[in-house]
Amino acid sequence: MWGNNKTTRWTVLLIVAIIMMMGYVFWDVVSPLTTNLKSPLEQGGMNWTTAEYGFYAGSYSIFNIFLFMLFFGGIILDKMGIRFTGILATGMMFCGALINFIAIKYISALDYTDLKLTLFGLIPQHIKLQVLIAALGFGIFGVGCDITGITVSKVITKWFTGHELASAMGIQVALARLGTASAISFSPIIAMNFGGIQASLLVGTILLLFGFIFFIIYNLKFDGIIKERNIDTEDDKEPYSIKSILTLLKNIDFWFIALLCVSFYSSIRPFLKFATDIIVEKYDMNVIAAGWITSILPYGTIILTPLFGYINDKYGYARRLLVAGCLIVVVSLLLLLSPIGAGTAWMPIIIMIMMGIAFSLVPSVLWPTVPKLVPLKQLGTAYSIIYYIQNLGLMLVPMTVGNIVTNYNGKINYTPGIIIFIVFAVFATIVACKIKK
């Protein structure tokens, strides 16, 4: 049977993992260019403030949170299926990226607008129109990217349940990290040699077009195999109901996983948005060198995440891996906060290696745990709830850090921002200790 064919399973994994990898490229394509964004117009920059960049980075999650798009995405996935949801989500990723690119390319950085809604000061009231439209595009991209994420997770669960599920999810996460690493490493080089920030955004947008095409290929070639060969589980054939959602919401272990997800990712993902700039400021480096050092974090996960996924499949140790990963983040951020190695290259390298290990440990255990807690018919909804809670942190943390570091003593100082990351990492460690085996 095709469903038990190892080559087919791993081909499916490769296709959907590459789609997510392209999404992560665009997610982080601007992250290493914060220094360029904040540079004056006469120096080729966009003259963005740190608060404007913080709003832009947080706008990824704004529609997911306030319009409950992830809830709708999870329900659509469980009701309408993988084909429809995947096309919708990958199409939204591409369209959002295109709007983002158009805003940076064609809207002047000199045009401003005033906002009535500022989310208690998290969004600048007097803001560049360019930033606002770019954030609109990034928010649409965020909806598509997260719904694509839960769709890909369900695809992998369908194909690998009863096989190498944790290893498969580990490889998917590893390729996603390759996308992040590639963006952080090469985006400054592309921007420097091919026309600025717009060039990096254009490359990311084109990759998302290929991602949309790849999902069409998956639908045409592989999705029918599952239906023809009756690979779907009995749980997945049961009718979807409100009662099943309520059953999910009563699952205490599920809520621990959700809390761990939001606290752990809030300590790392927003940090990556500012990491290059932090290294430039603290360790006195140029942007390209700082970008390559930052990329150590995701590059390390490419090998380690599948390795830890294999260990989880083979030997277990899930809770120990979760606690160890969270503790490593705490220690890494404390080292970043300390004066040790200031002005040197070796200290940020060590910090990024440690955080790369942590960023491998936790996701390699976290994501394969969800299908063990909930039946397949609820999986889209379960992932959408987790992603929704995660998005709260991914929106509020970069916006808060962007405002705090701008206003701190009238100059840029990342110390209070790093403290915020540490608080989330400590909370993640506590939650990981509470999770049952």
Side-chain angles (χ1 to χ4, degrees):
M1 288 180 64
W2 274 99
N4 294 320
N5 186 309
K6 191 171 184 178
T7 302
T8 306
R9 283 201 310 274
W10 289 97
T11 302
V12 167
L13 173 66
L14 183 62
I15 291 172
V16 297
I18 288 175
I19 293 170
M20 282 309 302
M21 180 180 72
M22 292 172 175
Y24 275 79
V25 168
F26 193 86
W27 191 353
D28 283 302
V29 76
V30 175
S31 300
L33 303 175
T34 52
T35 302
N36 306 65
L37 281 171
K38 294 187 296 182
S39 298
L41 295 174
E42 56 270 20
Q43 295 180 17
M46 297 292 177
N47 201 33
W48 286 21
T49 65
T50 308
E52 286 175 329
Y53 173 69
F55 164 62
Y56 168 80
S59 68
Y60 173 93
S61 305
I62 203 161
F63 295 129
N64 285 332
I65 292 172
F66 291 107
L67 299 182
F68 301 99
M69 294 305 295
L70 272 172
F71 285 123
F72 292 126
I75 292 171
I76 289 170
L77 174 60
D78 288 336
K79 288 286 288 183
M80 302 297 293
I82 288 169
R83 287 191 177 196
F84 176 83
T85 311
I87 293 295
L88 175 67
T90 53
M92 289 185 72
M93 278 204 296
F94 170 68
C95 290
L98 187 61
I99 293 171
N100 195 341
F101 165 73
I102 290 171
I104 299 297
K105 175 72 174 176
Y106 295 106
I107 297 178
S108 172
L110 298 174
D111 295 335
Y112 281 81
T113 187
D114 291 313
L115 300 178
K116 294 181 179 180
L117 180 65
T118 64
L119 287 181
F120 306 102
L122 291 175
I123 304 174
Q125 183 178 18
H126 189 60
I127 190 172
K128 294 178 182 65
L129 184 62
Q130 181 188 65
V131 176
L132 193 62
I133 302 302
L136 170 66
F138 200 46
I140 294 172
F141 161 79
V143 174
C145 190
D146 276 2
I147 295 177
T148 300
I150 62 177
T151 304
V152 165
S153 295
K154 191 162 185 175
V155 170
I156 295 173
T157 301
K158 279 193 170 188
W159 282 91
F160 283 88
T161 294
H163 301 286
E164 315 89 341
L165 181 59
S167 299
M169 286 194 169
I171 291 172
Q172 186 267 306
V173 171
L175 284 178
R177 301 293 177 261
L178 176 60
T180 296
S182 300
I184 294 172
S185 301
F186 296 105
S187 184
I189 297 174
I190 294 171
M192 181 174 292
N193 294 287
F194 298 99
I197 297 166
Q198 302 94 324
S200 296
L201 284 168
L202 179 59
V203 170
T205 303
I206 292 171
L207 288 177
L208 290 176
L209 176 59
F210 282 113
F212 177 70
I213 294 170
F214 278 13
F215 205 92
I216 293 175
I217 292 171
Y218 166 77
N219 282 346
L220 294 175
K221 183 69 177 177
F222 296 100
D223 189 62
I225 294 174
I226 284 186
K227 294 177 175 60
E228 291 171 9
R229 300 297 180 174
N230 197 30
I231 297 171
D232 290 356
T233 66
E234 291 303 316
D235 275 341
D236 197 40
K237 295 176 183 176
E238 292 179 15
Y240 189 87
S241 67
I242 298 297
K243 184 179 178 181
S244 66
I245 299 178
L246 295 176
T247 302
L248 174 65
L249 296 179
K250 293 177 183 177
N251 190 328
I252 300 300
D253 293 325
F254 168 78
W255 286 109
F256 273 123
I257 293 295
L259 284 175
L260 176 61
C261 180
V262 65
S263 52
F264 176 79
Y265 277 90
S266 293
S267 69
I268 287 192
R269 291 293 327 183
F271 166 75
L272 274 172
K273 295 293 184 186
F274 296 94
T276 300
D277 214 24
I278 291 173
I279 292 174
V280 169
E281 294 286 336
K282 181 166 183 178
Y283 298 100
D284 194 26
M285 293 185 178
N286 63 58
V287 174
I288 292 180
W292 277 99
I293 290 176
T294 302
S295 70
I296 291 173
L297 193 163
Y299 272 128
T301 65
I302 295 168
I303 297 174
L304 293 177
T305 306
L307 173 62
F308 292 135
Y310 172 79
I311 293 172
N312 187 24
D313 272 333
K314 188 78 173 175
Y315 304 106
Y317 305 121
R319 184 167 62 174
R320 295 179 186 178
L321 293 174
L322 290 175
V323 173
C326 295
L327 280 173
I328 291 171
V329 177
V330 175
V331 174
S332 303
L333 291 170
L334 287 173
L335 285 174
L336 186 64
L337 195 61
S338 75
I340 300 173
T344 67
W346 57 267
M347 179 51 73
I349 290 174
I350 291 173
I351 290 170
M352 291 303 163
I353 290 173
M354 292 175 63
M355 294 192 77
I357 293 171
F359 210 20
S360 304
L361 276 169
V362 176
S364 67
V365 178
L366 178 68
W367 297 116
T369 299
V370 181
K372 297 177 183 178
L373 292 175
V374 298
L376 192 60
K377 64 177 179 179
Q378 299 173 0
L379 194 60
T381 305
Y383 276 122
S384 69
I385 293 172
I386 292 175
Y387 273 58
Y388 180 85
I389 297 171
Q390 180 192 54
N391 270 257
L392 288 170
L394 295 181
M395 182 188 77
L396 294 175
V397 173
M399 287 183 179
T400 303
V401 171
N403 276 277
I404 288 178
V405 302
T406 300
N407 298 326
Y408 190 78
N409 288 343
K411 62 178 183 179
I412 301 296
N413 186 329
Y414 279 103
T415 298
I418 297 171
I419 292 173
I420 291 175
F421 300 141
I422 291 172
V423 169
F424 278 101
V426 170
F427 183 75
T429 306
I430 295 171
V431 175
C433 291
K434 294 289 185 180
I435 291 176
K436 296 177 183 178
K437 292 185 179 180

